[in-house]
Amino acid sequence: MTRDDAAFAADLAQQAGQLLLELQRTSGLAGKELGVAGDARSDELLLRLLAEGRPGDAVLSEESADTDARLSADRVWIIDPLDGTREYGMPGRSDWAVHVALWERGVTDPAITAAAVAQPALGTVYTTDDPAAAAVHRSRPILLVSASRPPEFAAPVAEAVGGDLQTMGSAGAKAMAVVRGDADAYLHAGGQWEWDSAAPVGVALAAGLHASRVDGSPLTYNAAHPYLPDLLICRADLAPDLLAAIAAA
């Protein structure tokens, strides 16, 4: 390796983010058409950069055909070239992201050893090399959920911990809001895939946050079927209360 994996992930996420911003400015596209173009162009760039920089590694991408080759690989890059496609196509929205994560065999689950989440509209890239998450303790925790697919248990859980529900766009945007201290937890149970959470989970854990399935079990990546339907990312001190409230809901 000629470059650190975390720095490499950050570079890829940043380059893809810049491409997506430029596409917004110059393509003349909007809405769904812009989102489709952004997905394709970002995926093309990330696959090319990975082939050049890490030619021996496998890749699992939301926007490319999956193959069994990754199941026997020791290193697999799990990427979401544009997380929050709908939000990206809407003028003025910043809650979309680019995810780049590295899974390595033989490492304790979730086995994400390097990751980066870019939020291009905010001019920010979060990586596993970042410092600890912001230390914010509110009297009423802010719990982030999907606007379109909030968990059925969201309201009773918020009530149980004395918190308030808020909605936000992409998974990466919600997870990084917790890292920044803008929110205290991100709950999801409406169905996701590995590329939706791998990079956010890697960054969140590196920052000292809690990340698990909603039943508290570990998140497992590079599975034969990469469906990973639920997720909890939160302040570590809040995790026991949230997990208990989810179990009781």
Side-chain angles (χ1 to χ4, degrees):
M1 296 300 172
T2 58
R3 299 177 62 196
D4 174 78
D5 286 322
F8 181 64
D11 185 39
L12 265 61
Q14 184 172 30
Q15 288 195 53
Q18 290 302 309
L19 178 150
L20 289 166
L21 289 174
E22 184 67 15
L23 190 66
Q24 278 184 326
R25 289 192 295 263
T26 64
S27 68
L29 301 174
K32 186 175 181 179
E33 288 186 344
L34 177 59
V36 169
D39 274 325
R41 293 279 301 278
S42 182
D43 187 54
E44 179 183 357
L45 174 66
L46 290 173
L47 292 180
R48 177 173 61 80
L49 294 174
L50 284 165
E52 293 171 355
R54 298 293 188 268
D57 296 350
V59 180
L60 171 64
S61 170
E62 178 181 14
E63 301 303 325
S64 297
D66 191 15
T67 71
D68 292 341
R70 65 179 175 81
L71 300 179
S72 59
D74 290 332
R75 292 165 49 96
V76 180
W77 292 89
I78 303 173
I79 62 172
D80 190 341
L82 175 50
D83 178 54
T85 305
R86 184 177 69 89
E87 289 77 15
Y88 171 72
M90 301 169 67
R93 294 291 292 263
S94 62
D95 50 346
W96 52 276
V98 176
H99 298 177
V100 180
L102 174 63
W103 173 93
E104 292 196 74
R105 188 177 305 281
V107 179
T108 302
D109 284 335
I112 302 299
T113 58
V117 176
Q119 285 198 260
L122 299 181
T124 306
V125 180
Y126 303 88
T127 80
T128 44
D129 284 343
D130 282 349
V136 177
H137 296 275
R138 298 175 181 82
S139 58
R140 293 187 63 83
I142 296 173
L143 313 182
L144 296 178
V145 296
S146 167
S148 59
R149 293 177 296 167
E152 292 183 359
F153 55 72
V157 167
E159 183 177 0
V161 301
D164 297 311
L165 293 175
Q166 292 185 13
T167 61
M168 188 178 287
S170 79
K174 289 191 281 285
M176 295 308 101
V178 181
V179 170
R180 286 194 303 273
D182 293 344
D184 301 276
Y186 164 35
L187 294 79
H188 185 82
Q192 280 185 342
W193 299 83
E194 290 187 12
W195 44 76
D196 292 308
S197 65
V201 163
V203 172
L205 288 174
L209 297 174
H210 169 91
S212 71
R213 301 285 301 272
V214 295
D215 63 0
S217 61
L219 294 148
T220 301
Y221 294 93
N222 198 37
H225 184 54
Y227 186 61
L228 196 52
D230 55 76
L231 173 67
L232 170 64
I233 293 175
C234 65
R235 289 180 0 223
D237 64 293
L238 193 57
D241 289 343
L242 281 171
L243 290 169
I246 292 169

